[in-house]
Amino acid sequence: AQKITQTQPGMFVQEKEAVTLDCTYDTSDPSYGLFWYKQPSSGEMIFLIYQGSYDQQNATEGRYSLNFQKARKSANLVISASQLGDSAMYFCAMREPSTDSNYQLIWGAGTKLIIKP
Amino acid sequence: SQTIHQWPATLVQPVGSPLSLECTVEGTSNPNLYWYRQAAGRGLQLLFYSVGIGQISSEVPQNLSASRPQDRQFILSSKKLLLSDSGFYLCAWSATRRVGTEAFFGQGTRLTVV
């Protein structure tokens, strides 16, 4: 079963509008971490924001915020006042304790965001 | 501050040739190190991870191998490349194995096997 699901393969958004990128996850572990990364066309993965499963408040980092709905197992990324430079692939990822103590990141398939001028 | 270097950025290799991709981390000690592969337009697939010198774990059976000869050096290798080895390879490091630890990535290597 998919551990991380990103249902939007691609999105077009007008510059300066807010955008929400969806991410749902599946885990039975009470302790886990959720991450969002941005991958521009250059290829590098850029860490954006983190939400811990026990965090009481939604994470925010500048124009990025995470809409964490634990009961729905949802961790959507919200980008406020989008800019042309926000055009990129966005990946949701989860880390949970695993039996081999690897603590590896589990990745979604990504959403391609294109900001229109 | 910590930095991660990965090279080369682009590589075109013939089928059957060997491969060596190198990744080094600066500014930290005893990092957890990872090699990922990303097919075009897809998410990341973990290939190898290492929690210490000489300690390598493989996530998927494949034509590739990894080695960690020094604390902050991680090498991805193949003796004979296959066409299916083409892809975008990313090296990453993280400080600990706690759930809240983000991974930091190198610039990636785009490998084309011809």
Side-chain angles (χ1 to χ4, degrees):
Chain A
Q2 290 272 35
K3 286 268 189 177
I4 297 285
T5 302
Q6 294 181 254
T7 57
Q8 307 150 310
M11 287 184 71
F12 287 88
V13 173
Q14 199 69 40
E15 187 181 10
K16 299 181 184 176
E17 289 184 352
V19 56
T20 297
L21 304 180
D22 295 340
C23 174
T24 57
Y25 59 91
D26 182 26
T27 180
S28 57
D29 201 298
S31 175
Y32 53 89
L34 296 158
F35 304 79
W36 277 93
Y37 283 82
K38 173 184 178 181
Q39 187 179 38
S41 56
S42 58
E44 64 180 304
M45 281 287 195
I46 303 168
F47 166 71
L48 295 179
I49 197 167
Y50 164 77
Q51 180 84 43
S53 60
Y54 293 121
D55 293 344
Q56 295 297 314
Q57 293 188 328
N58 287 346
T60 61
E61 287 286 348
R63 293 187 299 113
Y64 304 108
S65 61
L66 208 152
N67 183 4
F68 183 44
Q69 298 185 46
K70 195 170 182 176
R72 299 177 64 179
K73 295 190 175 179
S74 162
N76 297 341
L77 177 70
V78 180
I79 307 174
S80 62
S82 58
Q83 303 170 357
L84 295 178
D86 293 333
S87 295
M89 283 288 289
Y90 288 81
F91 291 94
C92 179
M94 177 175 67
R95 178 177 275 128
E96 57 181 358
S98 58
T99 54
D100 60 0
S101 299
N102 173 25
Y103 287 67
Q104 64 169 291
L105 280 168
I106 302 163
W107 297 82
T111 295
K112 185 167 185 175
L113 176 64
I114 297 174
I115 307 299
K116 300 183 291 182
Chain B
S1 63
Q2 301 90 357
T3 56
I4 179 168
H5 303 279
Q6 182 184 342
W7 67 94
T10 306
L11 194 58
V12 180
Q13 292 281 97
V15 168
S17 64
L19 172 74
S20 181
L21 303 181
E22 191 161 342
C23 172
T24 59
V25 180
E26 295 177 359
T28 187
S29 59
N30 196 30
N32 295 315
L33 297 171
Y34 309 85
W35 277 111
Y36 288 91
R37 178 167 58 202
Q38 184 181 26
R42 307 286 292 276
L44 274 66
Q45 178 189 36
L46 180 65
L47 301 176
F48 300 95
Y49 68 93
S50 172
V51 300
I53 296 174
Q55 299 178 62
I56 308 295
S57 296
S58 173
E59 287 296 301
V60 293
Q62 59 209 315
N63 184 43
L64 302 167
S65 62
S67 61
R68 185 170 177 174
Q70 299 180 49
D71 181 44
R72 289 168 289 179
Q73 184 185 27
F74 205 24
I75 298 171
L76 183 68
S77 304
S78 174
K79 292 182 179 177
K80 288 186 178 182
L81 283 169
L82 306 172
L83 287 174
S84 57
D85 291 324
S86 293
F88 189 60
Y89 290 82
L90 284 155
C91 180
W93 76 275
S94 66
T96 70
R97 288 180 285 164
R98 289 199 299 269
V99 290
T101 307
E102 66 267 37
F104 298 95
F105 286 80
Q107 299 275 43
T109 297
R110 198 165 302 279
L111 171 67
T112 305
V113 182
V114 295

